[in-house]
Structures are given as structure tokens and as C-alpha cells.
Amino acid sequence: MCPPHRNEGHEPHVVDEGDRQIRLMAHSRGFVVWFTGLPSAGKSTLARALEKELLRRDRPVEVLDGDEVRLRLTRGLGFSKADRDENIRRIAYVAKLLAGHGVVAITAAISPYREIRNEARAEIGDFVEVYVDCPLEECIRRDVKGLYRKALSGGLPNFTGVSDPYEPPVSPEVAVETGQESLDESVQKILAALDRLGYLAL
């Protein structure tokens, strides 16, 4: 008869970290591209376009889209500041795991608060913040779901940019202006920043 399985705490690490890093060095090094911006600023569209370009360069890529994450990873969390912060912590955790396995993890969540984004940066390390800058009026015009209209009429509380603050980054690695630039211009600007920072050569 087998002894009862003991699981009274966390399992010890069975993979030597040095061995893991040596194995990963044989492949490309992962990093995280963290998009932040108002709802309908263009984060998801940019993330998919950047994914396509990096795949074309044979880089392993995974996009953590804000809506999909809310549906599958953080279902049940609301839109209070505490829940929004927890949402970002979970995204950062998954993104860090992916980057640790040589993947370029692209996150496309609003992530409105500067403090929690800085926490994610410190947690992840290889972190490239992309500020998707777009005027509120243009975001409202683009909103096909009608969420801004509902928020402006008071029917949607805690909506970023209307009834909840958005804190833009102070020193992002790159800022794109989706109200003025074409999609290709914004993607090229991000790629140029990744190249300048040395990530495309890793």
C-alpha cells in the first residue's frame, strides 16, 4: 500500500535554476511588452500586429489580451481598484512565466494605475512599457461596444477615463499616438524601440 501523499506546503523546486537558464540560453530570451492605455485606444489591435511581425521573425510570442484574461484567468474580479490591481498581478505573473521560457509575452490590458504597473515592471525585469496614447474623444468615437456612452450616462461605474482615473506612464520605453499614426507606423516605432533596447538581438 502506498503511503499517503504528503502535500502540506509548496513542493520544492526540482529543476535547478542554473540548468534552466543554460537550456534557455540555447534559444531566444523572452521579455514582456506591456501595452497600457484607455479603453479603445488600440492596444489589442497593436498587440496582434506586433505579434504577427515578431512571428515573422521566428520569435515565440503569446498575447495576453485584457478581455480574454478577464474571461479565463481573472473571472470573478470586478473593477474596484483592489480587483484591478489583482488582475494586473495575475497577468504579470503569467507574463513573467512565459518570458522565463523564452517567449515574448505581449499584454494588452488597460492597467490604469501607475503604481501597479511599476510593481509589474519590478516583478518581471525584462519589461517594455508601451503607452498607447489616444485622445479620449477619439476613443469614444471608436467604441463599437457602446461602453463609453453607457459610462457617460452614468450606467457604468468605475469606467476608466470617465468615472475612474487613468494614470499615463511617466517614462515609458515607447509611446505611440494611435489618433495620429497609422497602425504600421506605430508598430515600426515599437520595433525600433525593441531594437534600440537590444531585445530583438536576444
Side-chain angles (χ1 to χ4, degrees):
M1 180 177 176
C2 295
H5 181 68
R6 296 172 64 86
N7 188 20
E8 298 170 349
H10 295 294
E11 292 289 335
H13 288 291
V14 294
V15 177
D16 178 79
E17 279 303 313
D19 183 57
R20 184 202 300 273
Q21 292 304 319
I22 290 171
R23 290 171 185 273
L24 289 174
M25 284 173 67
H27 305 282
S28 62
R29 180 178 165 194
F31 56 95
V32 175
V33 181
W34 192 283
F35 285 101
T36 177
L38 287 168
S40 301
K43 298 179 294 300
S44 296
T45 302
L46 271 171
R48 293 300 178 186
L50 180 62
E51 175 191 34
K52 184 178 179 181
E53 183 60 31
L54 291 173
L55 285 172
R56 195 180 65 79
R57 299 176 184 216
D58 296 327
R59 299 299 296 260
V61 186
E62 186 65 52
V63 174
L64 300 173
D65 181 75
D67 288 342
E68 291 181 21
V69 167
R70 281 275 182 184
L71 184 64
R72 301 181 184 279
L73 181 65
T74 62
R75 184 194 292 269
L77 291 179
F79 293 89
S80 67
K81 184 175 186 308
D83 278 2
R84 285 176 186 268
D85 285 353
E86 179 61 22
N87 184 48
I88 296 308
R89 286 193 182 96
R90 294 186 194 181
I91 294 173
Y93 176 73
V94 174
K96 181 182 178 182
L97 287 180
L98 288 168
H101 286 81
V103 176
V104 181
I106 302 173
T107 74
I110 298 168
S111 48
Y113 305 124
R114 197 174 294 137
E115 183 179 4
I116 193 67
R117 291 197 306 268
N118 289 338
E119 183 179 311
R121 176 189 290 274
E123 171 72 18
I124 291 169
D126 289 313
F127 183 97
V128 179
E129 190 173 43
V130 180
Y131 175 33
V132 183
D133 188 7
C134 185
L136 179 61
E137 297 74 17
E138 176 62 14
C139 293
I140 293 171
R141 189 190 67 78
R142 293 176 181 176
D143 179 26
V144 295
K145 298 177 183 175
L147 297 177
Y148 275 105
R149 186 171 62 251
K150 192 173 179 180
L152 288 166
S153 66
L156 199 58
N158 304 115
F159 191 81
T160 300
V162 178
S163 50
D164 210 60
Y166 176 76
E167 301 170 353
V170 175
S171 301
E173 276 71 19
V174 58
V176 296
E177 298 179 87
T178 59
Q180 302 179 27
E181 301 166 359
S182 69
L183 178 60
D184 185 60
E185 287 173 331
S186 295
V187 170
Q188 292 306 316
K189 189 184 281 188
I190 296 166
L191 288 169
L194 295 178
D195 191 33
R196 184 181 72 249
L197 294 166
Y199 283 110
L200 295 184
L202 297 175

